Amino acid sequence: MKSMLELVDVHRTYLIGESTVHALRGVSLTIEQGEFVAIMGASGSGKSSLLQILGLLDNPDKGEYRIFGNNVNTMSEDEQAGVRNNVAGFVFQQFHLLKRMDIVDNVRLPYIYSGLKGNFRKEAIERLKMVGLEQRIDHTPNQLSGGEQQRVAIARALVRDPLIIFADEPTGNLDTKNSGEIMKILQGLHAEGKTIIMVTHETDIAAYARRVITMRDGVILTDERKPGIQHAVRVSGQSGFDIHGSTKGSLWQDGRFIGFIAQAFQAILANKMRSFLSVLGILVGVASVIAMMALGEGAKASMQEQLKSMGSNMLSIRAGSAKIRGASQGAGAVARFTFADVEEIASLHTLVKNASGVVNGAGRIVFGNKNWSTNLTGVGYDYGTMRAALPTVGRWFTREEIQTREKVAIIGVTVVKELFGTTNPLGKTVKINRINFTVIGIAPAKGFSGPQDEDDVVIIPVNTAMYRVLGKTYLSGIFVEVASPSLIEKTKSDISALIRKRHRLKEDDDSFNIRDMTEIQQMLSSTTQTMSLLLGSIAAISLVVGGIGIMNIMLVSVTERTREIGLRKAIGARKNDIMLQFLVESVGMTVSGGFIGIVLGIGISLILSFFAGWTVITSPISVVLATAFSALTGIFFGLWPARKAAELKPVEALRYE
Ligand code: ADP
Ligand code: MG
């Protein structure tokens, strides 16, 4: 039958700078199941080095180590972690309990890395009962005495029912009374059939064992079995040994991930102030981006609203070429629009909401002894709403007035200023091109559009303008309101085709042109783009700065918790487990920071809209993006510290002071 543990000529050498320390120089040893072995010797004789190799916390430089006949040298790091988790339980001189968890969580910690489902509180409490701590289950390690802490560590070592318990100076930090209690527990475990391998330099502690190995300078000096029963319990076979152990079961299936998240938040909350300060960069960045995006969106929306009132869906169809202003290209090059054209265009129902013909001309307007040359526009009924020309003072034309060629006029504010000064023009009679008109309204002020004064206008009914004032039989142009902005291009081409058909114009004949407001819209979208770019770079900078803060704190955290990492590896954590633990922690921090930032940003934008009266719109996309980017920052900047943690060797991490 294969021995349980078998060492053949094992060497272990440490390099300290230039010098080498030969901790083990050829150790050969077999240990059978059910033995209680004490390894004795002076300090520095290699006891711990031997135990670490036996416990798979370290590997030999030379020589062979077989566990149930499996050569350890051929096992991967993760497989060894699996064996540690399934087969071994560790008890250290320094207890190595995690201070921020209560003792139940400490005891069940090995289960996290076992690949088994469940919360295992029951098992943990049961083991705590075995070591006599059932009264203290909601205590944290700091609230316990040294002896009690070591009993918690033993409960943790037992929680997965290991075959072997490795104990390195388990009573080294305890007084005689507590030492005795701990040794009684170990003795009891041996009586139940556990294999116990214990390092000690005290003879009275070693006296509990059935076999005592003495070491000096890295070799075994003596190996003595006590008379009487050698193996307290003879256990046959390889009960429970599974080399692959925790490498089975995916991360998501076995609930390990949830455990990691819970632990990450425990760790973050253990250092509340520090965690908060380190996410401050991300918090402020996200908050300002959310608030500014909300402002930007609000500004965009109100600009669009304004644009809409100006008629952003408006098409202007004019006779004559767009390219050569005014100058027509030979005879018949100017299309002559009639009301029939307007009706045809208006009947393109799905595309066109409204169509209105206009006629333009020069007007000379006289009031009293003042006169003024201005632009005369003859309009239809719908022009008022389409072009946002409905008077704020006075009224718009009625349909009858337009039909019956009434002599009523609406004048722009420039005209009001020139002719009336401060007196009220409503109801006054003016002469337009020597015909008497009654002023019924003042057109809303529009300001300048380029060099053009949009308020220097006189608006009269289109029929009055054509037949009474200007003597024109054709319209100068047609305004079309498109049903929605997305239909503008289609409407343009459809109207263009319609006009070409009606007026029998060839494809390349440009005796008319259709313009839309895309120029203004383009300007608007380029402003928005500049703004987004600016916001984007602020976000990027703040996330990078915040991310560096996170990386810094994670590096500190990894260093601070080196021994914790060592312990976790000892009880079976694999590289990826450690890596994930720290990644989850950094992502947890950045996402929480991002979340607070989002709330703060929304708060700021609400305050702005409330007190400053600005339009703000918080788009869900900005919230989703902020969350995603904070998470990415956590992953990106957490990766290096997490890798650093994962690469640590269990022994070195455990030794770290
Ligand atoms: P013991 O447990 O018997 O006191 P150790 O096995 O811990 O002895 O150490 C044996 C020798 O190896 C000592 O000289 C010690 O200084 C050295 N040693 C142990 N671990 C390391 C290490 N990680 N790096 C360098 N030297 C070490
Ligand atoms: Mg030692």
Side-chain angles (χ1 to χ4, degrees):
M1 204 185 99
K2 286 166 189 159
S3 298
M4 184 163 82
L5 307 179
E6 187 176 11
L7 289 179
V8 183
D9 193 29
V10 161
H11 290 255
R12 181 70 172 101
T13 313
Y14 300 105
L15 280 172
I16 312 173
E18 295 289 278
S19 64
T20 53
V21 180
H22 296 280
L24 298 178
R25 336 165 164 244
V27 175
S28 298
L29 176 69
T30 55
I31 294 172
E32 299 300 338
Q33 203 162 345
E35 284 196 287
F36 187 169
V37 184
I39 302 171
M40 290 201 66
S43 176
S45 57
K47 307 182 294 291
S48 295
S49 302
L50 178 60
L51 192 81
Q52 283 154 6
I53 284 177
L54 287 169
L56 295 170
L57 294 170
D58 196 10
N59 293 132
D61 299 324
K62 214 177 109 205
E64 266 193 27
Y65 176 31
R66 281 187 291 272
I67 174 161
F68 289 111
N70 298 285
N71 191 344
V72 169
N73 296 7
T74 60
M75 287 187 208
S76 72
E77 245 180 80
D78 285 352
E79 281 172 338
Q80 293 191 22
V83 174
R84 287 197 296 273
N85 186 263
N86 278 324
V87 182
F90 291 92
V91 182
F92 301 98
Q93 183 177 354
Q94 302 89 343
F95 322 139
H96 287 310
L97 299 177
L98 302 189
K99 300 276 186 277
R100 59 176 180 277
M101 300 179 179
D102 67 25
I103 62 176
V104 173
D105 284 347
N106 265 288
V107 170
R108 64 188 177 144
L109 203 57
Y111 268 111
I112 293 188
Y113 305 114
S114 70
L116 299 169
K117 267 187 198 158
N119 78 5
F120 304 103
R121 271 190 79 83
K122 200 177 105 267
E123 284 80 355
I125 292 170
E126 197 183 295
R127 299 308 185 283
L128 282 168
K129 266 188 196 142
M130 280 170 64
V131 297
L133 285 177
E134 64 269 35
Q135 315 291 354
R136 320 295 296 267
I137 50 173
D138 46 2
H139 287 55
T140 58
N142 285 335
Q143 296 163 328
L144 302 180
S145 74
E148 287 167 331
Q149 290 191 43
Q150 192 62 303
R151 283 192 265 161
V152 175
I154 292 174
R156 181 181 62 199
L158 290 174
V159 80
R160 298 234 41 228
D161 286 327
L163 289 172
I164 318 163
I165 305 247
F166 296 96
D168 192 347
E169 311 260 10
T171 60
N173 282 6
L174 302 177
D175 58 30
T176 325
K177 183 173 158 286
N178 277 308
S179 297
E181 280 171 14
I182 295 296
M183 288 319 296
K184 287 214 178 70
I185 293 171
L186 289 179
Q187 209 171 31
L189 292 170
H190 173 237
E192 286 166 23
K194 297 263 184 254
T195 310
I196 297 177
I197 305 172
M198 174 184 72
V199 164
T200 182
H201 60 268
E202 293 173 68
T203 330
D204 46 344
I205 297 296
Y208 287 88
R210 311 290 307 167
R211 177 180 174 189
V212 179
I213 294 170
T214 345
M215 295 192 68
R216 188 194 286 164
D217 295 335
V219 291
I220 292 178
L221 211 63
T222 60
D223 184 350
E224 289 167 4
R225 286 185 165 84
K226 294 224 176 121
I229 322 154
Q230 286 306 320
H231 306 309
V233 178
R234 287 190 185 273
V235 191
S236 58
Q238 316 185 354
S239 47
F241 180 75
D242 177 3
I243 197 175
H244 294 290
S246 69
T247 48
K248 285 187 304 192
S250 85
L251 185 62
W252 309 99
Q253 274 172 359
D254 60 31
R256 246 186 309 162
F257 195 65
I258 305 294
F260 285 161
I261 290 177
Q263 291 201 21
F265 278 92
Q266 235 169 7
I268 293 170
L269 293 178
N271 282 308
K272 284 189 203 67
M273 197 58 191
R274 187 170 95 177
S275 306
F276 177 73
L277 289 177
S278 50
V279 298
L280 212 55
I282 285 174
L283 193 157
V284 169
V286 167
S288 54
V289 168
I290 291 279
M292 282 164 76
M293 287 251 273
L295 260 178
E297 284 294 313
K300 197 170 133 192
S302 60
M303 261 155 84
Q304 255 162 1
E305 195 55 39
Q306 241 170 1
L307 209 72
K308 225 184 193 164
S309 75
M310 279 158 50
S312 68
N313 298 352
M314 205 60 60
L315 296 180
S316 154
I317 308 167
R318 292 259 140 192
S321 163
K323 290 167 204 148
I324 305 149
R325 278 192 159 218
S328 55
Q329 301 170 303
V334 178
R336 303 190 145 175
F337 298 121
T338 61
F339 286 110
D341 288 315
V342 178
E343 262 162 45
E344 280 284 317
I345 290 169
S347 66
L348 294 170
H349 282 302
T350 51
L351 300 173
V352 174
K353 205 164 144 196
N354 258 322
S356 179
V358 293
V359 62
N360 297 103
R364 189 157 195 85
I365 175 166
V366 180
F367 177 69
N369 57 357
K370 292 186 183 152
N371 69 84
W372 182 249
S373 292
T374 182
N375 301 304
L376 196 61
T377 308
V379 303
Y381 182 77
D382 293 322
Y383 181 94
T385 40
M386 280 169 70
R387 302 287 291 153
L390 295 180
T392 39
V393 177
R395 62 170 182 86
W396 186 246
F397 311 112
T398 63
R399 286 188 194 275
E400 291 71 39
E401 282 169 341
I402 294 170
Q403 271 302 309
T404 58
R405 308 175 187 180
E406 285 304 318
K407 293 172 285 182
V408 284
I410 292 168
I411 57 181
V413 289
T414 304
V415 180
V416 174
K417 200 175 77 205
E418 293 297 335
L419 293 186
F420 295 93
T422 53
T423 58
N424 183 4
L426 289 189
K428 300 275 171 11
T429 303
V430 293
K431 277 189 195 300
I432 300 172
N433 293 6
R434 291 200 289 275
I435 301 165
N436 280 339
F437 274 77
T438 309
V439 177
I440 61 163
I442 300 171
K446 291 198 166 178
F448 280 79
S449 150
Q452 175 96 23
D453 181 359
E454 299 270 328
D455 295 322
D456 188 4
V457 286
V458 171
I459 303 170
I460 57 176
V462 63
N463 291 325
T464 318
M466 284 167 81
Y467 305 115
R468 290 193 183 219
V469 185
L470 299 172
K472 286 187 179 175
T473 50
Y474 300 102
L475 293 168
S476 316
I478 302 168
F479 280 105
V480 175
E481 189 180 354
V482 183
S484 97
S486 58
L487 295 172
I488 284 177
E489 284 312 311
K490 166 129 180 64
T491 312
K492 269 167 92 171
S493 65
D494 281 18
I495 290 177
S496 183
L498 184 92
I499 293 171
R500 284 185 202 284
K501 201 174 123 219
R502 283 180 57 81
H503 294 259
R504 298 191 183 81
L505 301 174
K506 286 200 286 297
E507 235 359 87
D508 56 349
D509 194 328
D510 54 357
S511 54
F512 70 97
N513 69 78
I514 306 177
R515 292 191 203 191
D516 59 35
M517 298 287 193
T518 45
E519 271 174 49
I520 299 173
Q521 272 171 339
Q522 265 161 13
M523 208 174 73
L524 185 72
S525 71
S526 83
T527 322
T528 322
Q529 255 168 18
T530 316
M531 198 133 140
S532 315
L533 209 71
L534 216 75
L535 283 173
S537 34
I538 291 173
I541 291 169
S542 65
L543 285 180
V544 167
V545 171
I548 291 170
I550 294 291
M551 180 155 70
N552 182 37
I553 215 68
M554 289 310 295
L555 284 173
V556 170
S557 173
V558 168
T559 310
E560 261 182 7
R561 285 151 67 189
T562 302
R563 294 212 299 182
E564 172 188 331
I565 295 163
L567 171 86
R568 285 175 184 274
K569 288 205 152 184
I571 62 176
R574 288 168 289 154
K575 263 188 183 175
N576 283 347
D577 293 328
I578 299 294
M579 176 121 171
L580 208 65
Q581 182 197 338
F582 281 90
L583 265 189
V584 168
E585 213 172 299
S586 68
V587 171
M589 271 209 269
T590 54
V591 169
S592 324
F595 182 75
I596 303 173
I598 289 168
V599 172
L600 196 71
I602 292 175
I604 290 171
S605 53
L606 287 180
I607 288 171
L608 282 178
S609 79
F610 185 76
F611 287 104
W614 294 347
T615 319
V616 293
I617 298 170
T618 310
S619 70
I621 293 178
S622 67
V623 172
V624 171
L625 276 182
T627 315
F629 274 105
S630 359
L632 279 180
T633 310
I635 292 176
F636 185 79
F637 289 96
L639 209 55
W640 183 43
R643 276 186 67 93
K644 222 184 127 179
E647 296 294 335
L648 286 171
K649 292 257 167 284
V651 234
E652 279 155 32
L654 279 170
R655 272 176 174 264
Y656 184 86
E657 292 299 325

